[in-house]
Coordinates of all heavy atoms in Angstrom, one line a residue:
T12 N 19.1 17.0 -15.5 CA 18.7 16.2 -14.4 C 17.7 17.0 -13.5 O 17.1 16.5 -12.6 CB 19.8 15.7 -13.5 OG1 20.6 16.9 -13.0 CG2 20.7 14.8 -14.3
G13 N 17.6 18.3 -13.7 CA 16.7 19.1 -12.9 C 17.4 19.7 -11.6 O 18.5 19.4 -11.4
T14 N 16.6 20.4 -10.9 CA 17.2 21.0 -9.7 C 17.0 20.1 -8.5 O 15.9 19.5 -8.3 CB 16.5 22.4 -9.4 OG1 16.7 23.2 -10.5 CG2 17.0 23.0 -8.2
A15 N 18.0 20.0 -7.7 CA 17.9 19.3 -6.4 C 18.4 20.1 -5.3 O 19.3 21.0 -5.5 CB 18.7 18.0 -6.5
V16 N 17.9 20.0 -4.1 CA 18.3 20.7 -2.9 C 18.5 19.7 -1.8 O 17.7 18.7 -1.7 CB 17.2 21.7 -2.5 CG1 17.6 22.4 -1.2 CG2 17.0 22.7 -3.6
V17 N 19.6 19.8 -1.0 CA 19.8 18.9 0.1 C 19.8 19.6 1.4 O 19.9 20.8 1.5 CB 21.2 18.2 -0.1 CG1 21.1 17.3 -1.3 CG2 22.3 19.1 -0.1
G18 N 19.6 18.9 2.5 CA 19.5 19.5 3.8 C 19.1 18.4 4.8 O 19.4 17.2 4.6
Q19 N 18.4 18.8 5.9 CA 18.0 17.9 6.9 C 16.5 18.2 7.2 O 16.1 19.3 7.1 CB 18.8 18.2 8.2 CG 20.3 17.8 8.1 CD 21.0 18.1 9.4 OE1 20.9 19.1 9.9 NE2 21.7 17.1 9.9
S20 N 15.9 17.1 7.6 CA 14.5 17.2 8.1 C 14.5 16.9 9.6 O 15.4 16.1 10.1 CB 13.5 16.3 7.4 OG 13.8 15.0 7.7
Y21 N 13.6 17.4 10.3 CA 13.5 17.2 11.8 C 12.1 16.6 12.1 O 11.2 17.4 12.5 CB 13.8 18.4 12.5 CG 15.2 19.0 12.3 CD1 15.4 19.9 11.2 CD2 16.2 18.6 13.1 CE1 16.7 20.4 11.0 CE2 17.5 19.1 12.9 CZ 17.7 20.0 11.8 OH 19.0 20.5 11.6
P22 N 11.9 15.3 12.0 CA 10.6 14.7 12.2 C 10.2 14.9 13.7 O 11.0 15.2 14.6 CB 10.8 13.2 11.9 CG 12.0 13.1 11.1 CD 12.9 14.3 11.5
A23 N 8.9 14.7 14.0 CA 8.4 14.9 15.3 C 9.0 14.0 16.4 O 9.0 14.3 17.6 CB 6.9 14.6 15.3
D24 N 9.6 12.8 15.9 CA 10.2 11.9 16.9 C 11.6 12.4 17.5 O 12.2 11.8 18.3 CB 10.4 10.5 16.3 CG 11.4 10.5 15.2 OD1 12.1 11.5 14.9 OD2 11.5 9.4 14.6
G25 N 12.0 13.6 17.0 CA 13.3 14.2 17.5 C 14.5 13.8 16.8 O 15.6 14.2 17.1
S26 N 14.4 12.9 15.8 CA 15.5 12.4 15.0 C 15.9 13.5 14.0 O 15.2 14.5 13.8 CB 15.2 11.1 14.3 OG 14.2 11.3 13.4
V27 N 17.1 13.3 13.4 CA 17.5 14.2 12.3 C 17.8 13.3 11.1 O 18.4 12.3 11.2 CB 18.8 15.0 12.7 CG1 19.3 15.8 11.5 CG2 18.6 15.8 13.9
S28 N 17.3 13.7 9.9 CA 17.4 12.9 8.7 C 17.9 13.7 7.6 O 17.2 14.7 7.1 CB 16.0 12.3 8.4 OG 16.1 11.4 7.3
P29 N 19.1 13.4 7.0 CA 19.5 14.1 5.8 C 18.5 13.8 4.6 O 18.1 12.6 4.5 CB 20.9 13.5 5.5 CG 21.4 13.0 6.8 CD 20.1 12.5 7.5
V30 N 18.2 14.8 3.9 CA 17.2 14.6 2.8 C 17.7 15.3 1.5 O 18.6 16.2 1.5 CB 15.8 15.2 3.2 CG1 15.2 14.5 4.4 CG2 16.0 16.7 3.5
V31 N 17.0 14.9 0.4 CA 17.2 15.6 -0.9 C 15.8 15.9 -1.4 O 14.9 15.0 -1.3 CB 18.0 14.7 -1.9 CG1 17.4 13.4 -2.1 CG2 18.2 15.5 -3.2
Y32 N 15.6 17.1 -1.9 CA 14.4 17.4 -2.6 C 14.7 17.5 -4.1 O 15.5 18.3 -4.5 CB 13.9 18.8 -2.1 CG 12.6 19.2 -2.7 CD1 11.4 18.7 -2.2 CD2 12.5 20.1 -3.8 CE1 10.2 19.1 -2.8 CE2 11.3 20.5 -4.4 CZ 10.1 20.0 -3.8 OH 9.0 20.3 -4.4
R33 N 14.0 16.6 -4.9 CA 14.2 16.6 -6.3 C 12.9 16.1 -7.0 O 12.2 15.3 -6.4 CB 15.4 15.7 -6.7 CG 15.2 14.3 -6.3 CD 16.5 13.5 -6.6 NE 16.2 12.1 -6.1 CZ 17.0 11.1 -6.4 NH1 18.1 11.3 -7.1 NH2 16.7 9.9 -6.0
S34 N 12.7 16.6 -8.1 CA 11.5 16.2 -8.9 C 10.2 16.3 -8.1 O 9.3 15.5 -8.1 CB 11.6 14.7 -9.4 OG 12.8 14.5 -10.2
G35 N 10.1 17.4 -7.3 CA 9.0 17.7 -6.5 C 8.7 16.8 -5.3 O 7.6 16.7 -4.7
K36 N 9.7 16.0 -4.9 CA 9.6 15.0 -3.9 C 10.7 15.1 -2.8 O 11.9 15.2 -3.2 CB 9.6 13.6 -4.5 CG 8.9 12.6 -3.8 CD 8.7 11.4 -4.7 CE 9.6 10.2 -4.2 NZ 9.4 9.0 -5.0
L37 N 10.4 15.1 -1.5 CA 11.4 15.1 -0.5 C 11.7 13.7 -0.1 O 10.7 12.9 0.2 CB 10.8 15.9 0.8 CG 11.8 16.1 1.9 CD1 12.9 17.0 1.5 CD2 11.1 16.6 3.1
E38 N 12.9 13.3 -0.2 CA 13.3 11.9 0.1 C 14.4 11.8 1.1 O 15.4 12.6 1.1 CB 13.8 11.2 -1.2 CG 12.8 11.2 -2.3 CD 13.3 10.7 -3.6 OE1 14.0 11.5 -4.3 OE2 13.1 9.5 -3.9
R39 N 14.3 10.9 2.0 CA 15.4 10.6 3.0 C 16.6 10.0 2.3 O 16.4 9.0 1.6 CB 14.9 9.8 4.1 CG 13.8 10.4 5.0 CD 13.3 9.5 6.1 NE 13.6 8.0 5.8 CZ 13.9 7.2 6.8 NH1 14.0 7.6 8.0 NH2 14.1 5.9 6.5
L40 N 17.8 10.5 2.5 CA 19.0 9.9 1.9 C 19.2 8.4 2.3 O 19.7 7.6 1.5 CB 20.2 10.7 2.2 CG 20.3 12.0 1.5 CD1 21.6 12.8 1.8 CD2 20.2 11.9 0.0
V41 N 18.9 8.1 3.5 CA 19.1 6.7 3.9 C 18.3 5.7 3.1 O 18.6 4.5 3.0 CB 18.7 6.6 5.4 CG1 17.3 6.7 5.7 CG2 19.3 5.3 6.0
D42 N 17.2 6.2 2.4 CA 16.4 5.4 1.5 C 17.0 5.3 0.1 O 16.5 4.5 -0.7 CB 15.0 5.9 1.5 CG 14.3 5.8 2.8 OD1 14.6 4.9 3.7 OD2 13.4 6.6 3.1
L43 N 18.0 6.2 -0.2 CA 18.5 6.3 -1.5 C 19.9 5.8 -1.7 O 20.3 5.6 -2.9 CB 18.4 7.7 -2.0 CG 17.0 8.4 -2.0 CD1 17.2 9.9 -2.3 CD2 16.1 7.7 -2.9
V44 N 20.6 5.6 -0.7 CA 22.0 5.2 -0.8 C 22.3 4.1 0.2 O 21.6 3.9 1.2 CB 23.0 6.4 -0.5 CG1 22.8 7.5 -1.5 CG2 22.8 6.9 0.9
E45 N 23.3 3.3 -0.1 CA 23.8 2.3 0.8 C 24.9 2.9 1.6 O 25.9 3.4 1.1 CB 24.3 1.1 0.0 CG 23.3 0.3 -0.8 CD 23.8 -0.9 -1.5 OE1 24.7 -1.6 -0.9 OE2 23.3 -1.2 -2.6
V46 N 24.7 2.8 2.9 CA 25.7 3.4 3.9 C 26.5 2.2 4.4 O 25.9 1.2 4.9 CB 25.0 4.1 5.0 CG1 26.0 4.7 6.0 CG2 24.1 5.3 4.5
P47 N 27.8 2.3 4.4 CA 28.6 1.2 4.9 C 28.4 1.0 6.4 O 28.1 1.9 7.1 CB 30.1 1.7 4.7 CG 30.0 2.7 3.6 CD 28.6 3.3 3.7
E48 N 28.5 -0.3 6.8 CA 28.2 -0.6 8.2 C 29.2 0.1 9.1 O 30.4 0.3 8.7 CB 28.4 -2.1 8.4 CG 28.0 -2.6 9.7 CD 27.8 -4.1 9.8 OE1 27.6 -4.7 8.8 OE2 28.0 -4.6 10.9
G49 N 28.8 0.6 10.2 CA 29.6 1.3 11.1 C 29.6 2.8 10.9 O 30.2 3.6 11.6
L50 N 28.8 3.3 9.9 CA 28.7 4.7 9.6 C 27.3 5.1 9.6 O 26.4 4.3 9.3 CB 29.3 5.0 8.2 CG 30.8 4.8 8.0 CD1 31.2 5.1 6.5 CD2 31.6 5.7 8.9
A51 N 27.0 6.4 10.0 CA 25.7 6.9 10.0 C 25.6 8.2 9.2 O 26.6 9.0 9.3 CB 25.2 7.2 11.4
L52 N 24.6 8.4 8.4 CA 24.4 9.7 7.7 C 24.2 10.8 8.7 O 23.3 10.7 9.6 CB 23.3 9.6 6.7 CG 23.4 8.7 5.5 CD1 22.1 8.6 4.8 CD2 24.5 9.2 4.6
E53 N 25.0 11.9 8.6 CA 24.9 13.0 9.6 C 24.2 14.2 9.0 O 23.3 14.8 9.6 CB 26.3 13.3 10.1 CG 26.3 14.3 11.2 CD 26.0 13.7 12.5 OE1 25.9 12.4 12.7 OE2 25.7 14.5 13.5
N54 N 24.6 14.6 7.7 CA 24.1 15.8 7.1 C 24.4 15.7 5.6 O 25.4 15.2 5.2 CB 24.8 17.0 7.7 CG 24.1 18.3 7.4 OD1 23.1 18.3 6.7 ND2 24.6 19.4 8.0
A55 N 23.5 16.3 4.9 CA 23.7 16.5 3.4 C 24.2 17.9 3.2 O 23.5 18.9 3.7 CB 22.4 16.3 2.7
L56 N 25.4 18.1 2.6 CA 26.0 19.4 2.5 C 25.8 20.1 1.2 O 25.7 21.4 1.2 CB 27.5 19.3 2.8 CG 27.9 18.6 4.2 CD1 29.3 18.3 4.2 CD2 27.4 19.5 5.3
D57 N 25.8 19.4 0.1 CA 25.7 20.0 -1.2 C 25.4 19.0 -2.2 O 25.5 17.8 -2.0 CB 27.1 20.7 -1.6 CG 27.0 21.8 -2.6 OD1 25.9 22.1 -3.1 OD2 28.0 22.4 -2.9
V58 N 24.9 19.5 -3.4 CA 24.6 18.6 -4.5 C 25.1 19.2 -5.8 O 25.0 20.4 -6.0 CB 23.1 18.3 -4.6 CG1 22.3 19.5 -4.7 CG2 22.7 17.2 -5.6
N59 N 25.7 18.4 -6.7 CA 26.2 18.9 -7.9 C 25.2 18.7 -9.0 O 24.1 18.1 -8.9 CB 27.6 18.3 -8.3 CG 27.6 16.9 -8.6 OD1 26.5 16.2 -8.9 ND2 28.7 16.2 -8.5
D60 N 25.5 19.2 -10.2 CA 24.6 19.1 -11.4 C 24.3 17.6 -11.8 O 23.3 17.4 -12.4 CB 25.1 19.9 -12.6 CG 25.1 21.4 -12.3 OD1 24.3 21.8 -11.5 OD2 25.8 22.1 -13.0
A61 N 25.2 16.7 -11.4 CA 25.0 15.3 -11.8 C 24.1 14.6 -10.7 O 23.9 13.4 -10.9 CB 26.4 14.6 -11.9
G62 N 23.8 15.3 -9.7 CA 22.9 14.7 -8.6 C 23.7 14.0 -7.5 O 23.1 13.4 -6.6
Q63 N 25.0 14.1 -7.6 CA 25.9 13.5 -6.5 C 25.8 14.4 -5.3 O 25.8 15.7 -5.4 CB 27.3 13.3 -7.0 CG 27.4 12.4 -8.1 CD 28.8 12.3 -8.7 OE1 29.4 13.4 -9.0 NE2 29.4 11.2 -8.8
I64 N 25.8 13.8 -4.1 CA 25.6 14.6 -2.9 C 26.8 14.5 -2.0 O 27.3 13.4 -1.7 CB 24.3 14.1 -2.2 CG1 23.1 14.2 -3.0 CG2 24.2 14.8 -0.8 CD1 21.9 13.5 -2.5
L65 N 27.3 15.7 -1.6 CA 28.4 15.7 -0.6 C 27.7 15.5 0.8 O 26.8 16.2 1.2 CB 29.1 17.1 -0.7 CG 30.2 17.3 0.3 CD1 31.3 16.3 0.1 CD2 30.7 18.7 0.3
I66 N 28.2 14.5 1.5 CA 27.5 14.1 2.7 C 28.5 14.0 3.8 O 29.7 13.8 3.6 CB 26.9 12.7 2.5 CG1 25.9 12.4 3.6 CG2 27.8 11.6 2.3 CD1 24.6 13.0 3.5
L67 N 28.1 14.3 5.0 CA 28.9 14.1 6.2 C 28.4 12.8 6.9 O 27.2 12.7 7.2 CB 28.7 15.3 7.1 CG 29.5 15.3 8.4 CD1 31.0 15.5 8.1 CD2 29.0 16.5 9.3
L68 N 29.3 11.9 7.2 CA 29.0 10.7 7.9 C 29.7 10.7 9.3 O 30.7 11.4 9.5 CB 29.5 9.5 7.1 CG 28.9 9.4 5.8 CD1 29.9 9.4 4.7 CD2 28.0 8.1 5.7
R69 N 29.2 9.9 10.2 CA 29.8 9.8 11.5 C 30.0 8.3 11.8 O 29.2 7.5 11.5 CB 28.9 10.4 12.6 CG 29.6 10.4 14.0 CD 28.9 11.3 14.9 NE 28.7 12.7 14.5 CZ 29.5 13.7 14.6 NH1 30.7 13.5 15.1 NH2 29.3 14.9 14.2
D70 N 31.3 8.0 12.2 CA 31.5 6.6 12.5 C 31.2 6.2 14.0 O 30.8 7.1 14.7 CB 33.0 6.2 12.1 CG 34.0 6.8 13.0 OD1 33.7 7.3 14.1 OD2 35.2 6.7 12.6
D71 N 31.4 5.0 14.4 CA 31.1 4.5 15.7 C 32.0 5.1 16.8 O 31.7 4.9 18.0 CB 31.0 3.0 15.8 CG 32.3 2.3 15.3 OD1 33.3 3.0 15.0 OD2 32.3 1.1 15.2
R72 N 33.0 5.8 16.4 CA 33.9 6.5 17.4 C 33.6 8.0 17.4 O 34.3 8.8 18.0 CB 35.3 6.2 17.1 CG 35.8 4.8 17.2 CD 37.1 4.6 16.7 NE 37.1 4.9 15.3 CZ 38.2 5.0 14.5 NH1 39.4 4.7 15.0 NH2 38.1 5.3 13.3
A73 N 32.5 8.4 16.7 CA 32.1 9.8 16.6 C 33.0 10.7 15.7 O 32.9 11.9 15.8 CB 31.9 10.4 18.0
A74 N 33.9 10.1 15.0 CA 34.7 10.8 14.0 C 33.8 11.1 12.8 O 33.0 10.3 12.4 CB 35.9 10.0 13.6
T75 N 34.0 12.3 12.2 CA 33.3 12.6 11.0 C 34.1 12.4 9.7 O 35.3 12.5 9.7 CB 32.8 14.1 11.0 OG1 34.0 14.9 11.2 CG2 31.8 14.3 12.1
I76 N 33.4 12.0 8.7 CA 33.9 11.7 7.4 C 33.1 12.3 6.3 O 31.9 12.3 6.4 CB 33.9 10.2 7.1 CG1 34.7 9.4 8.3 CG2 34.4 9.8 5.8 CD1 34.3 8.0 8.4
T77 N 33.7 12.9 5.3 CA 32.9 13.4 4.2 C 33.1 12.5 3.0 O 34.1 11.8 2.8 CB 33.4 14.8 3.7 OG1 34.8 14.8 3.4 CG2 33.1 15.9 4.8
A78 N 32.0 12.4 2.2 CA 32.0 11.5 1.0 C 31.1 12.1 0.0 O 30.2 12.9 0.3 CB 31.5 10.1 1.5
I79 N 31.2 11.6 -1.2 CA 30.3 11.9 -2.3 C 29.5 10.7 -2.6 O 30.1 9.6 -2.9 CB 31.0 12.4 -3.6 CG1 31.8 13.7 -3.2 CG2 30.1 12.6 -4.7 CD1 32.6 14.2 -4.4
L80 N 28.2 10.8 -2.5 CA 27.3 9.7 -2.7 C 26.4 9.9 -4.0 O 26.0 11.0 -4.3 CB 26.4 9.4 -1.5 CG 27.1 9.2 -0.2 CD1 26.1 9.1 0.9 CD2 28.0 7.9 -0.3
T81 N 26.1 8.9 -4.7 CA 25.2 8.9 -5.8 C 24.0 8.2 -5.5 O 24.0 7.0 -5.4 CB 25.9 8.3 -7.1 OG1 27.1 9.0 -7.3 CG2 25.0 8.5 -8.3
P82 N 22.8 8.9 -5.3 CA 21.6 8.3 -5.0 C 21.1 7.4 -6.1 O 21.4 7.6 -7.3 CB 20.6 9.4 -4.7 CG 21.4 10.6 -4.5 CD 22.7 10.4 -5.3
R83 N 20.3 6.4 -5.8 CA 19.6 5.6 -6.8 C 18.5 6.3 -7.5 O 17.9 7.2 -6.9 CB 18.9 4.3 -6.1 CG 19.9 3.5 -5.4 CD 19.1 2.2 -5.0 NE 18.6 2.2 -3.6 CZ 19.3 1.9 -2.5 NH1 20.6 1.7 -2.6 NH2 18.8 1.9 -1.4

């Protein structure tokens, strides 16, 4: 599947966006996965050889949740 790297980008608007770099392209995770209502992507922590990403989410009460997501 090639090499992938995950992390965060910090656009000029001051927001924070979890991202994945793969196949020579930087992509925002919010564009690649479906996030359940009431949760927000907080950070991309790790990626495995299958391309699944360990992610930190935050709910509407500010509690954090970890999950494994598989991008499209």
Side-chain angles (χ1 to χ4, degrees):
T12 60
T14 301
V16 178
V17 295
Q19 293 179 308
S20 70
Y21 298 89
D24 67 4
S26 65
V27 177
S28 182
V30 295
V31 59
Y32 182 81
R33 61 184 180 170
S34 302
K36 209 164 107 177
L37 186 66
E38 300 173 278
R39 296 178 337 142
L40 287 182
V41 71
D42 297 331
L43 302 175
V44 296
E45 291 184 38
V46 179
E48 191 165 330
L50 295 175
L52 291 171
E53 187 77 15
N54 196 356
L56 305 171
D57 202 359
V58 60
N59 66 20
D60 291 338
Q63 296 172 311
I64 299 169
L65 179 63
I66 193 83
L67 182 69
L68 300 122
R69 189 166 302 276
D70 70 13
D71 53 6
R72 295 172 298 175
T75 56
I76 302 161
T77 54
I79 296 175
L80 301 177
T81 303
R83 301 188 263 277

